[in-house]
Amino acid sequence: MKNLTLLVVSAAMANLSLAQSPEPAAPTATGSKLKPEQAASVLKQLQELEKTILAQRGSNLGGIIQKIRSAASSDAAALALVAECDSLVNVERKEGDRDDKEAAERRKDQQKNAQQNTDQDDVERNGDPLLALRLCLEYLALSLEAQEVKELSDMAGKLTSFHQSLVSSGAKLRGRSGDVVLRPVGNGGGGGGGGRRQGGQQPSESIGLVIQAFQLENYLKREGWPLVPGDILEHYEKIIFTKDRASSPDKLAEHWDAAIAAESAFRKARMFEGEYALWFQTAVPDLRWDRAADLAEHGTNSITGLAEMLNIIKANPNHPNSPKWVAELRARVEKDQGTAPSAPAP
């Protein structure tokens, strides 16, 4: 009887052990792949989904671009958009109350303070912050549009039109207002993010709010697109010169002339006379040197570029970069002739 009892207990323990042990893992399939008809079905579905996604993306982004562009058309429209975005970012998403009267009054006061700050600013010294805001909104719309084009060079015409707006507005973009258009509109730039400031949200520091409100961060990552509204030379370098060097070298000199002229006109309009004179004396010879070197490297006639480089050195012997220019031109000529590099003058 004792042996029978031990046998029953042992069997029970064995059954319990089996019940508690984990089931063996299912064998992993190796080397398996979709059948041709399955792959074809998946690819066809992806193609249809891609069409739908791109169509929806284009429609949604197009509406946002239009809204931002409309806001850039007037001071009142720009302030209204900023107030709307401030409400969305700092009230609805954080406080969760669309009918919060206190928050509504706060936004109303912010708009009033922003307008008063504009009226009281010394435009001669600090420019027009609302104009700077509108230009940044206009460039934000351009930047979003650039995300959808096949080739960034397709944006060249719209960029040069924007440059005309910059130049014509230059006299009102001095001081702090000029600083705003020289900050990137992406990554919290264009005047900063959506944090509150004592005394009301400043209109020239509100592009970040718009980006946050419409969740545009991922639409501002197109490689090769410049994000600083007021950097005319960067626009030319990244968009226009790049295309010229690759496929239109005959247009390179003309576009360099246009770039230097636009940059000079913009700076002359927004800088004080003494500042501009100093910039012109130092920076313009540098820009002309860059132009000549670019023509020597990528233009239709390298000899023309080399001759211009030599003339720039002759015309600017006292320029801080003249020794570097001499060394660069010497190296180019010796490389062209296949001769050993010569030692610089002591």
Side-chain angles (χ1 to χ4, degrees):
M1 186 66 180
K2 182 178 180 181
N3 292 337
L4 179 59
T5 302
L6 289 172
L7 183 61
V8 171
V9 171
S10 298
M13 292 297 292
N15 289 335
L16 179 61
S17 177
L18 287 172
Q20 291 179 341
S21 62
E23 295 182 2
T28 303
T30 57
S32 60
K33 64 179 182 179
L34 294 174
K35 295 178 180 179
E37 59 271 20
Q38 292 175 318
S41 175
V42 171
L43 292 174
K44 183 177 180 180
Q45 291 178 66
L46 287 175
Q47 185 178 31
E48 294 302 319
L49 285 169
E50 184 178 38
K51 289 180 181 178
T52 302
I53 291 170
L54 291 177
Q56 291 177 347
R57 171 186 166 110
S59 176
N60 293 339
L61 189 60
I64 293 172
I65 291 172
Q66 183 56 46
K67 187 166 188 173
I68 293 172
R69 196 160 271 148
S70 296
S73 64
S74 71
D75 291 353
L79 285 172
L81 178 65
V82 170
E84 178 185 339
C85 293
D86 186 27
S87 173
L88 180 59
V89 171
N90 290 315
V91 179
E92 293 178 25
R93 291 178 184 168
K94 294 181 180 179
E95 300 174 16
D97 187 354
R98 294 174 181 267
D99 300 320
D100 182 1
K101 293 183 179 180
E102 182 181 349
E105 287 298 320
R106 183 168 63 239
R107 295 193 302 275
K108 184 176 180 181
D109 289 342
Q110 287 172 347
Q111 283 189 275
K112 182 178 179 181
N113 289 339
Q115 187 64 61
Q116 287 176 345
N117 287 341
T118 300
D119 295 338
Q120 294 169 1
D121 267 349
D122 178 3
V123 175
E124 175 66 21
R125 183 160 295 277
N126 291 312
D128 183 344
L130 284 176
L131 176 60
L133 170 63
R134 289 167 54 195
L135 286 167
C136 286
L137 286 171
E138 184 179 344
Y139 195 76
L140 175 60
L142 270 183
S143 298
L144 294 172
E145 189 177 345
Q147 309 308 301
E148 302 299 297
V149 298
K150 185 176 181 181
E151 299 289 341
L152 287 177
S153 58
D154 295 339
M155 298 295 296
K158 293 184 177 182
L159 271 179
T160 53
S161 294
F162 180 74
H163 296 162
Q164 294 175 11
S165 298
L166 281 175
V167 172
S168 64
S169 304
K172 295 183 179 181
L173 292 175
R174 292 182 170 179
R176 291 191 298 269
S177 298
D179 292 341
V180 170
V181 299
L182 293 174
R183 301 173 190 162
V185 295
N187 302 317
R196 297 191 181 282
R197 292 170 58 91
Q198 187 175 1
Q201 179 72 33
Q202 298 299 311
S204 61
E205 299 185 351
S206 302
I207 297 299
L209 270 176
V210 178
I211 293 173
Q212 290 181 59
F214 293 113
Q215 300 180 25
L216 299 174
E217 293 87 352
N218 289 330
Y219 290 98
L220 296 171
K221 295 181 178 180
R222 176 73 180 266
E223 185 176 356
W225 177 258
L227 288 173
V228 179
D231 196 337
I232 294 173
L233 292 173
E234 185 188 26
H235 300 171
Y236 270 91
E237 177 61 38
K238 288 190 172 182
I239 306 302
I240 299 174
F241 295 160
T242 298
K243 180 183 178 182
D244 291 345
R245 292 166 189 148
S247 59
S248 306
D250 56 311
K251 296 181 179 179
L252 190 57
E254 173 190 346
H255 288 156
W256 259 108
D257 290 340
I260 294 173
E263 180 71 16
S264 298
F266 181 48
R267 286 180 177 268
K268 186 174 184 179
R270 73 179 187 84
M271 297 174 83
F272 297 104
E273 186 175 348
E275 291 178 320
Y276 177 73
L278 182 61
W279 175 85
F280 189 89
Q281 180 181 0
T282 304
V284 171
D286 266 331
L287 292 175
R288 289 175 177 161
W289 176 266
D290 291 341
R291 174 190 183 277
D294 205 5
L295 293 179
E297 185 74 20
H298 300 102
T300 56
N301 188 338
S302 62
I303 295 177
T304 300
L306 294 172
E308 290 190 17
M309 293 170 77
L310 181 60
N311 287 334
I312 290 168
I313 296 172
K314 290 180 177 179
N316 301 275
N318 296 321
H319 192 278
N321 286 330
S322 58
K324 184 182 75 171
W325 295 342
V326 170
E328 183 178 337
L329 180 55
R330 177 186 290 116
R332 283 178 177 269
V333 172
E334 290 174 342
K335 180 180 178 181
D336 180 68
Q337 295 299 304
T339 58
S342 57

